[in-house]
Amino acid sequence: DAGVTQSPTHLIKTRGQQVTLRCSPKSGHDTVSWYQQALGQGPQFIFQYYEEEERQRGNFPDRFSGHQFPNYSSELNVNALLLGDSALYLCASSPTGQGSYEQYFGPGTRLTVT
Amino acid sequence: AQSVSQHNHHVILSEAASLELGCNYSYGGTVNLFWYVQYPGQHLQLLLKYFSGDPLVKGIKGFEAEFIKSKFSFNLRKPSVQWSDTAEYFCAVSPYNTDKLIFGTGTRLQVFP
């Protein structure tokens, strides 16, 4: 049973560019959440997708957007990249749209903005 | 605003020593509580969780945590640490009926043989 997978593993972009990160949830999970983990910090909630819609959003600007596909996989898009967007981006999945379930994390995508 | 505080940023112990990592949260409503661990080079893994019931919960690898509602705390404990417990430990809170996790800044634990 594959866990949460993310691609790519590493990415280097230039300020002002746009980036797309991808996530496939654990089998049987239909909810995907995205987190940003800056160096030395805990993960910060960006947003959550369920039934192909953004269900919750953290305190991130509109430059951060996402999408969920019918197969539950998800993309995180970041426009107009800033140096401060350099971080590890984590995807997590859970088995239901709402409720008290644990989240399973992927290995992350390390984004470096130069 | 909802927040989680982990007061110990870096803890260094010898094997067999006892461990207690502090976690306090600020949120007025019902919450679910978690401890996640990140071993070197690995992804975040759930160590233990509290949803309801007995406030003393046991997790994997001999870890346990106690929820003290009056103190808004969920401290992690282990009676005797091993070198393999070297990792980063994150406390997280999820407001009831949401899957949104609010993490603390983490505690780096180093255990020396």
Side-chain angles (χ1 to χ4, degrees):
Chain A
D1 175 25
V4 179
T5 59
Q6 293 185 242
S7 64
T9 306
H10 295 89
L11 204 51
I12 300 175
K13 289 286 189 178
T14 305
R15 274 180 301 174
Q17 286 188 316
Q18 178 263 344
V19 68
T20 298
L21 311 181
R22 296 175 177 81
C23 170
S24 291
K26 183 177 169 63
S27 177
H29 290 188
D30 56 8
T31 301
V32 174
S33 302
W34 287 92
Y35 293 82
Q36 180 195 66
Q37 186 177 13
L39 202 60
Q41 301 295 318
Q44 282 196 294
F45 177 76
I46 302 174
F47 43 52
Q48 182 182 83
Y49 276 83
Y50 172 63
E51 291 189 340
E52 302 179 48
E53 292 190 358
E54 183 182 291
R55 195 163 73 93
Q56 299 181 77
R57 189 178 183 92
N59 189 25
F60 278 80
D62 292 343
R63 299 187 296 109
F64 289 78
S65 63
H67 189 76
Q68 186 178 35
F69 300 93
N71 67 352
Y72 309 124
S73 67
S74 176
E75 287 181 350
L76 164 66
N77 300 294
V78 187
N79 294 323
L81 285 167
L82 304 174
L83 293 179
D85 295 332
S86 295
L88 181 67
Y89 288 85
L90 298 169
C91 172
S93 70
S94 50
T96 190
Q98 190 172 0
S100 304
Y101 292 97
E102 67 182 85
Q103 294 186 30
Y104 290 77
F105 284 82
T109 294
R110 172 75 61 187
L111 172 65
T112 302
V113 182
T114 63
Chain B
Q2 305 153 359
S3 66
V4 176
S5 297
Q6 292 183 244
H7 309 295
N8 316 102
H9 298 293
H10 190 190
V11 173
I12 301 173
L13 295 172
S14 298
E15 275 192 319
S18 64
L19 170 72
E20 180 159 3
L21 301 182
C23 173
N24 289 89
Y25 66 93
S26 65
Y27 182 72
T30 303
V31 294
N32 298 314
L33 298 155
F34 305 82
W35 275 96
Y36 278 85
V37 60
Q38 192 167 30
Y39 297 104
Q42 297 187 27
H43 57 273
L44 275 170
Q45 302 171 39
L46 182 69
L47 202 53
L48 48 77
K49 61 190 177 188
Y50 173 80
F51 289 165
S52 64
D54 188 345
L56 183 62
V57 293
K58 295 191 184 298
I60 60 173
K61 303 185 180 184
F63 285 91
E64 65 178 31
E66 184 176 12
F67 171 47
I68 303 179
K69 190 175 181 180
S70 61
K71 294 184 178 180
F72 298 91
S73 70
F74 190 55
N75 293 352
L76 180 72
R77 298 194 293 250
K78 186 171 183 178
S80 177
V81 295
Q82 300 173 315
W83 176 78
S84 59
D85 293 325
T86 294
E88 186 106 26
Y89 292 81
F90 293 94
C91 180
V93 163
S94 178
Y96 183 70
N97 246 7
T98 79
D99 294 329
K100 168 185 174 181
L101 288 170
I102 303 163
F103 283 88
T105 53
T107 296
R108 182 182 172 206
L109 172 66
Q110 281 184 293
V111 180
F112 289 95

